[in-house]
Amino acid sequence: MSSTRALTTTLLVSALVVYSAQGMLVPVLAPVTRLVGLGEVDLGAVMTLSAAMLVISGPWWGREVDRIGVHAVLVRGLVLATLGAVGFAVMTEIAAREELPRAVVLTAFALTRGVLYGLGFAAVPVAGLTYLASTSDGAVARTKAMGAFGAAQGLSLVIGPALGGLAAIGGLLLPVHLAPVLVGATLVAVWLLPAPERQQRPERERLGFRDPRVLPYLVAGGALFLGLALVEIILGFLVQDRLGLSDTETAQVVAVAGVLIGVGFAATQAFVAPRVPGGPRGLLVAGSLLAALGYVGAMFATSTATLLPVMVVIAAGLGLALPGYNAGATLAVEPSEHAAVAGQLSATVGLTYVAGPVLGAGLYSAYDLAPIIGAALLSLVAAVLASRLTRAA
């Protein structure tokens, strides 16, 4: 039991540190991109490539968990993420000092921050969700475990950018250099931890994305998180255009919103979700409806005093829905299929962040409220789909 608790704690702390290390770059990505001679489109392409790696490699990491175990997958993923983060930091330093061809810098960023880091980072949620699913029985325990993992992700939304902002005071490139140190330290901690006894997985037919046991969860979760991606990309524009703020004021409001969203997202998963009746299905329905309510409120928000509270409502809704999404899908399959479904869950969320930003920006250019309307409708779709799920035991 103590070894299980130790690995669970290490997994949660690892997720917190790795997600925070990624968030550290948020405050400096835009100025760093311009410093090395790249543009906004270039940055978007690298971030899209990183998200695409989650989609491509999520199911593969799931199969690797079955083949070599959670501990080995987490170590290998962190090795790749560390190499990618180090490569990105080195290339950024060189490009900031020397005038290099744009194609060289962009290719290096794509390989390090896009492919290597994205591939390694994708192993963390797959390993984490698989292990937590395999060590928790029943809807209540499973929801609590998934809520703890989601809470770590939520806290990273606050801790990462805050650390990045503080580090940037010591130099614009300091967060870029600190990120690989944090990921590397996590790698060492996980590496030194004794590997748990690996369960023998029976040979069986590969779990497909269209498996009727998990497809409704994937579609409902995909709709919900696509809605979030639509709004997330245009939040800064929305704040500035709707509230008539300056660049500095916009940055301040978005920063405050990010803190409130992260805290709301984490607290809801850790403390509220385990107490909501109805199991994973109830969480998905309640969370989707609450998120839809928040999006409707955002349509009518015309001041900071009204916009910030509705952002918290949206975060709370997603905080309820995410444990239901993860717990429900893992409860719907056999224990031997936990790794496979964890890969599918991660890939589905990653897919929304490949399509969502481009779609959200395009909708916003056509009509400023279109992404919010789309997010509200997608949340309602998720609620309807979730309401038709069979309740998990």
Side-chain angles (χ1 to χ4, degrees):
M1 181 62 71
S2 59
S3 61
T4 298
R5 186 180 298 111
L7 184 53
T8 298
T9 301
T10 303
L11 272 171
L12 294 176
V13 173
S14 298
L16 176 62
V17 174
V18 173
Y19 280 94
S20 296
Q22 178 170 266
M24 281 183 65
L25 301 182
V26 170
V28 298
L29 269 181
V32 165
T33 299
R34 288 172 176 159
L35 177 66
V36 299
L38 299 181
E40 291 82 355
V41 174
D42 298 321
L43 175 61
V46 173
M47 293 300 101
T48 298
L49 179 59
S50 183
M53 293 309 299
L54 184 62
V55 180
I56 296 169
S57 65
W60 176 74
W61 279 123
R63 294 192 292 274
E64 286 296 285
V65 167
D66 283 339
R67 190 175 70 86
I68 60 178
V70 167
H71 185 266
V73 161
L74 194 56
V75 167
R76 294 181 185 191
L78 289 172
V79 167
L80 290 173
T82 302
L83 290 174
V86 169
F88 178 70
V90 170
M91 191 62 208
T92 300
E93 185 69 36
I94 294 174
R97 295 173 180 271
E98 307 289 339
E99 193 168 329
L100 300 176
R102 171 180 169 275
V104 172
V105 179
L106 181 57
T107 300
F109 276 20
L111 291 176
T112 57
R113 187 61 181 78
V115 175
L116 268 181
Y117 187 84
L119 178 60
F121 182 81
V124 176
V126 175
L129 293 177
T130 301
Y131 184 76
L132 293 173
S134 67
T135 55
S136 58
D137 294 320
V140 175
R142 186 71 51 82
T143 299
K144 185 176 180 180
M146 297 304 176
F149 190 84
Q153 292 175 295
L155 286 176
S156 72
L157 296 177
V158 179
I159 295 173
L163 286 177
L166 290 173
I169 297 175
L172 183 61
L173 298 186
L174 187 56
V176 177
H177 294 301
L178 284 178
V181 173
L182 290 177
V183 179
T186 305
L187 167 62
V188 173
V190 172
W191 202 331
L192 294 176
L193 194 72
E197 183 178 342
R198 188 165 68 89
Q199 290 180 301
Q200 292 299 316
R201 306 292 187 183
E203 290 293 330
R204 63 184 302 135
E205 187 177 345
R206 183 175 296 180
L207 185 70
F209 276 89
R210 291 186 292 179
D211 190 298
R213 295 171 296 169
V214 297
L215 181 60
Y217 286 101
L218 298 180
V219 176
L224 193 63
F225 295 108
L226 177 59
L228 172 62
L230 292 180
V231 173
E232 196 172 48
I233 191 66
I234 58 95
L235 181 58
F237 299 114
L238 180 71
V239 167
Q240 186 165 38
D241 297 343
R242 293 290 301 278
L243 307 186
L245 302 179
S246 66
D247 291 342
T248 301
E249 291 170 333
T250 298
Q252 292 171 345
V253 171
V254 171
V256 172
V259 171
L260 293 176
I261 290 170
V263 171
F265 187 64
T268 304
Q269 292 189 78
F271 304 114
V272 180
R275 295 170 172 79
V276 174
R281 180 185 63 176
L283 284 171
L284 259 176
V285 173
S288 299
L289 290 176
L290 188 59
L293 179 63
Y295 289 128
V296 171
M299 297 178 201
F300 300 97
T302 56
S303 68
T304 303
T306 54
L307 183 62
L308 292 180
V310 299
M311 290 292 107
V312 175
V313 171
I314 294 170
L318 295 170
L320 288 179
L322 184 57
Y325 170 67
N326 289 327
T330 55
L331 285 166
V333 300
E334 299 297 325
S336 61
E337 298 172 304
H338 283 161
V341 80
Q344 292 183 357
L345 292 169
S346 297
T348 299
V349 175
L351 182 61
T352 66
Y353 281 91
V354 174
V358 176
L359 184 57
L363 289 172
Y364 188 82
S365 65
Y367 177 48
D368 62 351
L369 291 182
I372 303 177
I373 295 171
L377 293 175
L378 286 167
S379 297
L380 291 175
V381 168
V384 171
L385 289 172
S387 68
R388 303 175 73 173
L389 289 167
T390 302
R391 180 173 176 173

